[in-house]
Amino acid sequence: MAKMFPVFVLKSLFFFWYRFLLRQLRSLLGLGFHRSSTFATQFKNQKYPSAHLLHRSDLNDHTLIFDVEGGLLKSSSVFPYFMLVAFEAGGLVRAIVLMMAYPFVCLAGPETGLNIMVMICFFGMKAKRFRVGRAVLPKFLLEDVGAEMFEVLNKGGKKVGVSNLPQVMVESFLREYLEIDFVVGRELKVVCGYYVGLMDRKKTWHALDQVQEGKGCSDVIAITGFNNTLDYHLLSQCKEVHVVMESEKRSWERLGKEKYPKPLIFHDGRLAMRPTPMNGVAMLMWIPYALILSIIRISLALSLPYNISTPLLAFTGLHFTASLLPNNNNNNQKSSRGQLYVCNHRTLLDPLYLSFALKKDLIAVTYSLSRMSEIIAPIKTVRLTRDRDEDAKMMNKLLQQGDLAVCPEGTTCREPYLLRFSPLFSEMCDEIAPVAVDSHVTMFHGTTAGGLKCLDPLFFLMNPFPIYSVRLLQTVSRSSTSPSHHHTNSRSFHLANRVQTHIGDALGFQCTKLTRKDKYLILAGNDGLV
């Protein structure tokens, strides 16, 4: 009897998995056939290929209702977006759980798999603090938009985006960046201010009501994926139904950044790569080694002289290029004050890399810096108080002690844009040395607006091959300011704008009037004061 028990258990497990897999296979095949046959019979006189819409000139008179995943995005997988939610909002442990559950998500079918990912990513998360949908996901969703379908949507009148994803994941992307009029997603259930990981099933009735109330154009055209159709009741109200085939999506080009209706200037999150299943596995396997590598890089930078640490850091995969002026070392031999270096701001390591490039110690002034970053910094760092008079006195005093580096943007910007330069630095010296700084990462961003700033240098150094470049530009003189700017404040603003333009031209970046406060209001919901 004891020998038969293990055999009975093995048989039970075998039949359980056999029935489970067989049931899932039948449901997938049956569901696909049922949908295809129902779709074909119900709309056999109204079904058209989506490519026909590219040549239509009357779309401005129609309301376009489109399936976001099946009719707009080039990729058919939504796993990367849930991986972003899990990692950025939930942490490393939640991301590991989602990665381990991915095989079951694939076996469970589209609807059940979606529910599993929602449960893992959102269960126990505070609803008011969820900002990934606005700060992180738009960048990755924009990079996945098909250029051909976006061109079609631009020709339409009113536009309604319908998604199977939770509304908090897609609403900001569609409304703020693609200028979609109505967004309909799945609502997440909230209990005591926390998500419970469950979604409401109904989502398309709201869009239909909006169109029928006269907020949209009278004639409605639906754009849907072949295996991911919109609600049948909604489709029955449409004059035409256009189907996007998988073969069409594979031939689409991705929407270029220059075609974005609203430029993507600010975005947050630690992940720099698209976390597909393969990329996710590679990232999770790399993190233990990356932590060791980052500690080695920090130790080398702190303990060794510049001429020794720089080649050793290059040996660890950290690429650094510097472009200096021929007479840089003789600029201030006759001056009792130090040189003022004005940099654009890419990461907290900007002054450190400038120090590496010049092969001398600098003093760095910052608007906000974590205590941990101050402790491990190999150069002197001084915090500004944001009181203009106090900060001016402090900077003048520091210039008496040596060379000074300042980042007048006040915060970092990842995209090729320069934020408005605070004009305070332009009142400190007659000769200002602009410095063009750029960086490139492949896995982790070394900046954050809503996370722990003390981990910024660590995340940057966790990249396999981070790249940093420092380029010293020709000095800008206060005496060269236009004579028409007689007022001190006017001259200061004019000089700050000149320096900003000088650096922007050198990097190929676009200058803006946006400030630190604008960035933090968008990404973190605060004014950025620390």
Side-chain angles (χ1 to χ4, degrees), residues 234-271:
L234 177 60
L235 291 176
S236 65
Q237 310 297 318
C238 299
K239 181 180 179 181
E240 301 174 16
V241 176
H242 292 259
V243 181
V244 178
M245 307 299 292
E246 287 297 324
S247 58
E248 291 182 64
K249 297 178 72 172
R250 285 193 292 268
S251 64
W252 284 354
E253 294 183 0
R254 299 191 186 276
L255 185 65
K257 292 184 178 181
E258 68 281 357
K259 295 182 179 179
Y260 291 175
K262 175 184 176 181
L264 180 70
I265 300 177
F266 300 126
H267 58 86
D268 203 15
R270 292 295 189 184
L271 291 183

Side-chain angles (χ1 to χ4, degrees), residues 111 164 185-189 198-203:
E111 184 65 22
N164 281 324
R186 307 278 287 273
E187 293 293 339
L188 289 171
K189 296 182 178 180
L198 300 175
M199 296 187 297
D200 291 331
R201 290 183 175 273
K202 295 182 180 180
K203 63 178 185 301

Side-chain angles (χ1 to χ4, degrees), residues 11 62 73 78 105 160 301 309 334 361 399 424 435 481 491:
K11 283 185 177 180
H62 296 76
L73 301 181
V78 297
V105 171
V160 181
S309 62
K334 299 181 181 180
D361 290 333
L399 281 169
L424 178 61
V435 183
T481 307
R491 288 173 64 98

Side-chain angles (χ1 to χ4, degrees), residues 174-425:
L174 293 173
R175 284 187 182 274
E176 297 180 16
Y177 290 95
L178 293 189
E179 299 177 350
I180 303 302
D181 300 292
F182 307 115
V183 178
V184 183
R186 307 278 287 273
E187 293 293 339
L188 289 171
K189 296 182 178 180
V190 179
V191 176
C192 298
Y194 290 86
Y195 293 124
V196 295
L198 300 175
M199 296 187 297
D200 291 331
R201 290 183 175 273
K202 295 182 180 180
K203 63 178 185 301
T204 56
W205 301 105
H206 180 58
L208 183 60
D209 293 341
Q210 290 176 328
V211 174
Q212 290 177 341
E213 287 174 3
K215 294 182 180 179
C217 304
S218 56
D219 294 333
V220 181
I221 295 177
I223 305 171
T224 181
F226 185 75
N227 291 324
N228 190 18
T229 59
L230 302 174
D231 185 88
Y232 293 127
H233 181 71
L234 177 60
L235 291 176
S236 65
Q237 310 297 318
C238 299
K239 181 180 179 181
E240 301 174 16
V241 176
H242 292 259
V243 181
V244 178
M245 307 299 292
E246 287 297 324
S247 58
E248 291 182 64
K249 297 178 72 172
R250 285 193 292 268
S251 64
W252 284 354
E253 294 183 0
R254 299 191 186 276
L255 185 65
K257 292 184 178 181
E258 68 281 357
K259 295 182 179 179
Y260 291 175
K262 175 184 176 181
L264 180 70
I265 300 177
F266 300 126
H267 58 86
D268 203 15
R270 292 295 189 184
L271 291 183
M273 64 179 184
R274 184 179 180 83
T276 60
M278 291 298 294
N279 288 343
V281 172
M283 176 195 68
L284 295 176
M285 293 177 64
W286 169 251
I287 285 178
Y289 301 98
L291 289 171
I292 299 173
L293 181 61
S294 63
I295 294 174
I296 293 174
R297 288 170 171 171
I298 292 174
S299 301
L300 291 175
L302 293 177
S303 60
L304 297 176
Y306 298 132
N307 56 348
I308 299 177
S309 62
T310 301
L312 289 178
L313 288 172
F315 181 75
T316 66
L318 202 159
H319 298 281
F320 172 55
T321 60
S323 176
L324 303 179
L325 298 176
N327 60 342
N328 176 71
N329 294 328
N330 300 321
N331 282 342
N332 293 311
Q333 287 184 352
K334 299 181 181 180
S335 176
S336 60
R337 290 165 60 87
Q339 175 69 62
L340 178 62
Y341 295 96
V342 177
C343 316
N344 62 301
H345 205 1
R346 303 300 282 178
T347 75
L348 288 175
L349 301 177
D350 295 337
L352 179 60
Y353 274 100
L354 176 59
S355 181
F356 283 167
L358 298 173
K359 295 183 179 179
K360 61 181 179 181
D361 290 333
L362 299 173
I363 304 173
V365 291
T366 61
Y367 283 98
S368 62
L369 192 67
S370 68
R371 181 62 60 185
M372 178 61 68
S373 298
E374 285 184 317
I375 293 173
I376 67 174
I379 61 176
K380 182 179 179 180
T381 59
V382 179
R383 292 191 189 189
L384 296 177
T385 63
R386 297 186 185 276
D387 182 281
R388 185 178 180 84
D389 295 333
E390 290 295 327
D391 291 340
K393 291 179 182 179
M394 183 185 300
M395 291 177 67
N396 275 314
K397 182 179 179 180
L398 293 173
L399 281 169
Q400 300 292 336
Q401 302 174 12
D403 294 340
L404 186 64
V406 61
C407 300
E409 287 179 285
T411 188
T412 57
C413 184
R414 298 173 178 176
E415 296 299 317
Y417 295 92
L418 293 183
L419 307 186
R420 183 179 68 83
F421 278 24
S422 172
L424 178 61
F425 73 89

Side-chain angles (χ1 to χ4, degrees), residues 55-224:
H55 309 289
R56 292 275 294 270
S57 59
D58 62 336
L59 292 180
N60 190 49
D61 300 326
H62 296 76
T63 293
L64 301 183
I65 299 181
F66 64 95
D67 179 8
V68 175
E69 295 85 64
L72 176 66
L73 301 181
K74 182 176 172 65
S75 174
S76 299
S77 174
V78 297
F79 174 82
Y81 309 118
F82 283 101
M83 189 64 176
L84 287 165
V85 173
F87 186 86
E88 304 291 357
L92 181 61
V93 174
R94 200 183 290 252
I96 294 174
V97 173
L98 179 63
M99 195 73 253
M100 294 177 64
Y102 179 69
F104 300 99
V105 171
C106 296
L107 292 173
E111 184 65 22
T112 305
L114 180 66
N115 290 330
I116 292 174
M117 290 190 290
V118 170
M119 175 61 70
I120 294 174
C121 293
F122 285 94
F123 177 76
M125 196 174 294
K126 197 166 186 177
K128 287 186 177 180
R129 293 184 179 178
F130 183 80
R131 303 192 63 84
V132 173
R134 186 178 185 184
V136 179
L137 291 178
K139 173 186 180 293
F140 295 91
L141 288 165
L142 282 169
E143 291 174 350
D144 198 28
V145 172
E148 289 79 358
M149 187 51 63
F150 179 73
E151 181 181 347
V152 170
L153 294 179
N154 267 346
K155 296 178 181 179
K158 294 294 182 180
K159 296 174 279 289
V160 181
V162 182
S163 174
N164 281 324
L165 299 178
Q167 180 117 352
V168 293
M169 291 178 63
V170 297
E171 185 167 19
S172 179
F173 152 66
L174 293 173
R175 284 187 182 274
E176 297 180 16
Y177 290 95
L178 293 189
E179 299 177 350
I180 303 302
D181 300 292
F182 307 115
V183 178
V184 183
R186 307 278 287 273
E187 293 293 339
L188 289 171
K189 296 182 178 180
V190 179
V191 176
C192 298
Y194 290 86
Y195 293 124
V196 295
L198 300 175
M199 296 187 297
D200 291 331
R201 290 183 175 273
K202 295 182 180 180
K203 63 178 185 301
T204 56
W205 301 105
H206 180 58
L208 183 60
D209 293 341
Q210 290 176 328
V211 174
Q212 290 177 341
E213 287 174 3
K215 294 182 180 179
C217 304
S218 56
D219 294 333
V220 181
I221 295 177
I223 305 171
T224 181

Side-chain angles (χ1 to χ4, degrees), residues 322-329 331 339-344 354 357-358 418 421 431-438 469-477 497-509 511:
S323 176
L324 303 179
L325 298 176
N327 60 342
N328 176 71
N329 294 328
N331 282 342
Q339 175 69 62
L340 178 62
Y341 295 96
V342 177
C343 316
N344 62 301
L354 176 59
L358 298 173
L418 293 183
F421 278 24
E431 296 288 335
I432 296 170
V435 183
V437 180
D438 200 4
S469 65
V470 174
R471 181 181 175 186
L472 193 65
L473 307 178
Q474 290 288 347
T475 58
V476 176
S477 175
N497 291 338
R498 280 189 57 202
V499 175
Q500 182 198 38
T501 303
H502 199 27
I503 296 176
D505 292 341
L507 293 171
F509 289 4
C511 298

